Amino acid sequence: MFGFFAPKSKIINLLPKVRGDYIENAKLSKHTWFGVGGPAEVLFLPKDADDLKTFLMRKPEVVPLTIIGGGSNLLIRDGGIPGVVIKLDAKAFQQVEINGTEITVGAGMKNAELKKVFLENNIGGLEFICSVPGRIGGLLRTNAGCFGKCTSDVFVRAHIMNDWGEVYEVGAEDFNFAYRSSMFPEDWIILDATFKGVNASAEEIKKTLDEHIAYRKAHQPINKKTAGSTFKNPEGLAAWKLIKEAGCTGLKVGGAEVSDIHCNFLINSGQATAEDIEKLGELIVEKVKEKTAITLEWEVRRMGVKK
């Protein structure tokens, strides 16, 4: 089915009755930080885990599924995504439970919203999570990190649902974490994740959070249409430095441009298409390889079909 969309309403007529929402031809550009990309043939917003289970157990196997999170590290191509796109946006997927210095967070929770939780419960050591754009599910899937820490450093366990609607508890060994990545089945949907923090005073936590915010304001493009770091750092090297040395500062393709604050950030100036952004990224890969013989690896996840 990939490469074309079924006639209007064909897919949705095959789907089971749910308590959540089905949205046909949903604009996915509204669900990504780049603000670009084509539509989902059908966007499914489940009400809760039971609603998601019902859908997975009863939907036809021929219907393709794609899971998206907060869209902060995502480039959806201009042709959109055929089949059903699932997003865990309901309040049921944003619950928080505290057990000492362990915190269990729903996959749909925005990372930045944990600031208040950490301060009120004197949980430190996890402040870096608040500086990672997006939501908990994506944080875990990509083993995201910053300020010298990554998710796998503090991860304890998670609950996932497979494509049959079965729920399992999994640990770090099931994710096979690596730098900015994990290797777990595509059909897993993260429901929640538990992290281990440390006891800290609210003053200590606030100081760390303030330092992180100040650093980001000084060194990264804030309040821009961007997906954060575009490329992974090659081992022992900094991607931004390779990009700068390859002469990519100020590079533009259509409405996409390299940030003048941090050259590993690509910016949608307001009129970019997904194709502009992807072409700019591939041009950077080409120029860096010509200059250094190093092939940069995309950190931004690309999905969907070209227009």
Side-chain angles (χ1 to χ4, degrees):
M1 290 189 63
F2 280 91
F4 67 94
F5 280 46
K8 184 171 176 61
S9 296
K10 183 177 179 181
I11 287 290
I12 201 165
N13 288 340
L14 298 174
L15 302 179
K17 184 177 180 180
V18 294
R19 291 179 290 111
D21 296 320
Y22 289 133
I23 305 172
E24 287 187 275
N25 203 36
K27 293 182 179 179
L28 293 178
S29 58
K30 295 182 177 180
H31 297 270
T32 69
W33 286 40
F34 268 134
V36 300
E41 191 166 6
V42 176
L43 176 64
F44 173 41
L45 305 173
K47 192 77 171 177
D48 51 35
D50 286 338
D51 196 30
L52 176 61
K53 179 178 180 177
T54 296
F55 170 82
L56 293 171
M57 290 177 65
R58 297 179 182 175
K59 71 96 180 168
E61 287 189 33
V62 296
V63 176
L65 296 182
T66 303
I67 315 300
I68 65 170
S72 61
N73 194 43
L74 184 61
L75 177 61
I76 294 175
R77 297 186 174 101
D78 298 309
I81 301 179
V84 177
V85 174
I86 299 174
K87 183 174 182 180
L88 307 185
D89 217 25
K91 289 294 183 183
F93 300 107
Q94 300 178 38
Q95 301 302 306
V96 176
E97 293 182 10
I98 307 293
N99 183 14
T101 55
E102 284 192 357
I103 179 170
T104 300
V105 190
M109 183 79 168
K110 293 179 180 178
N111 302 333
E113 291 182 356
L114 287 174
K115 293 176 183 177
K116 184 177 180 182
V117 178
F118 295 155
L119 287 166
E120 290 179 348
N121 293 277
N122 299 110
I123 298 175
L126 304 176
E127 295 91 345
F128 77 96
I129 292 176
C130 301
S131 291
V132 177
R135 305 194 182 201
I136 292 298
L139 177 93
L140 184 56
R141 183 185 181 92
T142 61
N143 192 23
C146 54
F147 300 112
K149 284 190 174 182
C150 59
T151 306
S152 57
D153 295 332
V154 296
F155 173 68
V156 179
R157 60 187 169 273
H159 288 96
I160 63 94
M161 185 178 289
N162 66 17
D163 60 354
W164 291 97
E166 299 167 321
V167 177
Y168 296 94
E169 182 176 291
V170 294
E173 66 280 3
D174 298 294
F175 282 83
N176 295 313
F177 288 116
Y179 170 67
R180 297 295 183 268
S181 67
S182 63
M183 297 290 290
F184 68 98
E186 286 292 326
D187 62 352
W188 280 13
I189 301 175
I190 299 167
L191 299 178
D192 63 40
T194 300
F195 306 104
K196 180 68 173 179
V198 296
N199 286 312
S201 68
E203 291 75 16
E204 291 172 316
I205 296 167
K206 186 178 184 303
K207 181 175 182 292
T208 300
L209 290 170
D210 289 345
E211 288 172 351
H212 289 179
I213 291 171
Y215 180 90
R216 289 185 63 220
K217 286 182 176 179
H219 298 91
Q220 298 175 5
I222 304 297
N223 298 323
K224 297 286 186 179
K225 292 182 178 180
T226 180
S229 295
T230 308
F231 302 102
K232 298 178 182 180
N233 290 323
E235 187 173 357
L237 300 170
W240 71 266
K241 189 173 183 180
L242 296 173
I243 294 168
K244 184 175 182 179
E245 291 174 351
C248 298
T249 304
L251 205 60
K252 297 181 180 181
V253 173
E257 58 187 56
V258 176
S259 168
D260 57 0
I261 298 175
H262 192 310
C263 57
N264 195 21
F265 283 61
L266 303 188
I267 304 294
N268 172 8
S269 63
Q271 301 299 320
T273 63
E275 184 178 13
D276 290 341
I277 296 169
E278 189 163 17
K279 280 185 175 179
L280 177 57
E282 288 302 309
L283 181 58
I284 291 170
V285 172
E286 181 183 325
K287 286 182 171 293
V288 169
K289 188 172 183 179
E290 286 177 356
K291 176 75 174 179
T292 66
I294 295 170
T295 301
L296 291 177
E297 183 181 350
W298 282 78
E299 183 171 332
V300 170
R301 189 180 179 198
R302 296 170 288 170
M303 63 172 60
V305 296
K306 294 184 178 181
K307 198 168 184 177

